[in-house]
Amino acid sequence: MPRPAIDLFHEAFGAAPRAAASAPGRVNLIGEHTDYNGGPVLPIAIAQRTTAVIGPGADGDEGVLEAVSTRDKQVVRVHWQEALPTGWAAYVGGVLRELWSLEVIPPNGSARVALSSEVPIGAGLSSSAALTVAVTKALAPNLKPRQIAGVAFRAEHDHVGVRCGVMDQTISALGMRDHALLFECASLEATQIPFDARLLLVDTGKRHDLSTGGLNQRRAECEEAVKRLKVELPELQWLASWPAEWLPRLKRALREPLRSRAVHVVGETARTRFAAQLFQEKKLRQFGKLLYESHESCRRLYECSSPELDTVVAAAKRAGALGARLTGAGWGGAAIVLVNKTDKKTVPAIQRAFERAYGRSAPISEVHASAGAHTERL
Ligand code: ADP
Ligand code: MG
């Protein structure tokens, strides 16, 4: 659906674009805050996508990026080799720098980029990775999906400075229609698992911006936990690699809040691998129970939930949904709810509970597993 981005490109630059690509947002079924700890995740790519339309820079421009988004339609002009400005154009500048280091674009290369997106920003659906993956695919359509994920990850992590893991960019680049992806973030092993469950997405309307705040703090806590646990197990590289049967030893070795953070990561790692197996065997009821457990662990131990998310999950549970939990980093954003195909009670129950608590409605939609990044015809 490149039309809005194509129109914007013409409007902003008075020229015709050369290429286009789109990439999806994602929801993560289970495996929260495990990615940057070297554990497993189980995301699906969603139908909402970000489209990037690109063209060469203006005549005479060298090393200049001009970027515009349907979000505010303001053209941002960036010398992408120099210090990147704060704001969203830094994500695009980061992609240019990474493509330059792979020698896909020359050091004095210029580009114009117009973006449109259906992925809500800061809703926990990974609008940031949809953006970086779409821009990478548009500028470098011949890179392999894993290379695209790498470029997009480093753009956000190394250049924008969000200490994210590799999950969002990986699913956005590798996603397959009607499949979930079990992805081991340390070994980078990827397994596509058929997905035909009925999954609801509840947007709490509370937004986060991950380039500030809680996520970076949690990452620092996890790093500190690994440092201390290395005294016990010198070969430990990732927090998620701590053996689950050694939890008592871990609890003795760490103080709060590091203890709770580490217990979440180690527990969530085991839970996610088990959940993926149950999902493959279509044991949705048992799988759903693990979703509830995951939410509880995020809420109590990792402290990344919010009252709105807790309201949704509690209402889903009371209504008899198979499972529910926050998805994405948390601190607001969206929750997923797994329901039987014939379920009619859960949606109105969540709506009632949310309206009673917050005096406004929370939009609820169905999620379908969709395709990863691809080029778009102009
Ligand atoms: P999310 O969970 O949506 O990925 P993040 O905080 O990681 O939340 O990323 C949101 C940021 O990504 C925004 O603040 C903005 O800088 C950038 N962004 C995402 N989509 C767009 C877009 N369509 N136009 C401009 N900026 C965008
Ligand atoms: Mg993001």
Side-chain angles (χ1 to χ4, degrees):
M1 291 150 270
R3 197 72 252 166
I6 294 173
D7 291 345
L8 180 63
F9 193 97
H10 280 282
E11 204 180 297
F13 305 122
R18 291 272 176 85
S22 68
R26 61 98 189 91
V27 300
N28 189 21
L29 299 177
I30 190 164
E32 218 58 81
H33 295 283
T34 44
D35 63 344
Y36 52 85
N37 285 303
V41 291
L42 188 63
I44 59 175
I46 58 175
Q48 289 91 335
R49 305 178 77 83
T50 294
T51 301
V53 165
I54 59 143
D59 282 347
D61 261 355
E62 289 205 346
V64 173
L65 160 70
E66 287 179 289
V68 63
S69 164
T70 48
R71 206 178 152 197
D72 62 2
K73 300 195 174 182
Q74 300 290 314
V75 176
V76 186
R77 203 179 147 85
V78 176
H79 289 270
W80 56 269
Q81 298 255 18
E82 293 162 22
L84 290 175
T86 56
W88 67 272
Y91 291 81
V92 187
V95 169
L96 288 177
R97 287 179 174 189
E98 284 300 319
L99 290 177
W100 165 54
S101 75
L102 291 179
E103 299 183 355
V104 175
I105 60 168
N108 58 354
S110 290
R112 285 167 159 169
V113 178
L115 290 173
S116 69
S117 183
E118 305 149 356
V119 187
I121 289 174
L125 302 181
S126 188
S127 67
S128 58
L131 185 163
T132 50
V133 171
V135 171
T136 308
K137 182 73 185 171
L139 288 165
N142 295 328
L143 290 185
K144 294 196 174 71
R146 280 178 184 264
Q147 289 177 302
I148 290 179
V151 167
F153 166 71
R154 291 189 298 276
E156 179 160 357
H157 185 275
D158 297 359
H159 301 291
V160 180
V162 180
R163 306 202 59 207
C164 54
V166 293
M167 166 172 68
D168 297 355
Q169 299 81 9
T170 302
I171 183 65
S172 187
L174 272 66
M176 259 175 77
R177 212 182 139 174
D178 298 329
H179 286 75
L181 183 76
L182 174 64
F183 187 65
E184 288 285 349
C185 299
S187 68
L188 306 185
E189 191 185 337
T191 315
Q192 302 279 0
I193 302 180
F195 176 89
D196 70 346
R198 184 165 162 231
L199 191 72
L200 307 173
L201 185 75
V202 186
D203 183 358
T204 65
K206 206 177 145 210
R207 298 289 176 253
H208 65 222
D209 179 356
L210 294 182
S211 47
T212 57
L215 180 62
N216 286 355
Q217 190 195 345
R218 287 294 176 278
R219 276 206 68 151
E221 289 167 349
C222 289
E223 275 168 18
E224 188 59 32
V226 171
K227 220 159 74 191
R228 287 173 195 226
L229 289 173
K230 274 192 172 173
V231 177
E232 306 277 322
L233 188 64
E235 64 270 36
L236 187 74
Q237 280 216 345
W238 300 96
L239 191 47
S241 311
W242 182 269
E245 57 279 15
W246 287 2
L247 268 184
R249 196 162 153 193
L250 177 147
K251 287 180 184 166
R252 278 197 301 276
L254 297 174
R255 292 203 190 155
E256 292 298 356
L258 302 192
R259 184 188 298 147
S260 290
R261 310 300 186 235
V263 171
H264 166 77
V265 171
V266 173
E268 184 78 352
T269 293
R271 196 156 37 233
T272 302
R273 290 187 184 135
F274 184 37
Q277 194 186 323
L278 292 170
F279 197 73
Q280 201 143 23
E281 294 164 3
K282 308 224 181 298
K283 294 182 177 156
L284 287 191
R285 185 160 294 280
Q286 281 167 275
F287 176 80
K289 270 197 185 139
L290 298 184
L291 299 188
Y292 285 126
E293 279 179 25
S294 167
H295 183 78
E296 203 45 24
S297 179
C298 284
R299 185 180 74 80
R300 269 190 331 110
L301 300 174
Y302 218 69
E303 297 184 89
C304 62
S305 188
S306 73
E308 294 86 350
L309 290 164
D310 297 340
T311 300
V312 171
V313 172
K317 199 167 191 176
R318 279 197 306 272
L322 296 171
R325 57 181 290 277
L326 65 84
T327 185
W331 294 288
I336 50 167
V337 182
L338 185 73
V339 287
N340 276 320
K341 295 215 164 137
T342 53
D343 181 307
K344 292 198 172 67
K345 285 196 323 210
T346 302
V347 169
I350 293 172
Q351 277 165 339
R352 271 197 309 275
F354 199 88
E355 265 172 39
R356 207 177 312 127
Y358 299 103
R360 60 185 171 87
S361 60
I364 302 180
S365 52
E366 294 216 5
V367 188
H368 301 282
S370 305
H374 53 69
T375 53
E376 297 272 359
R377 236 180 296 155
L378 283 174

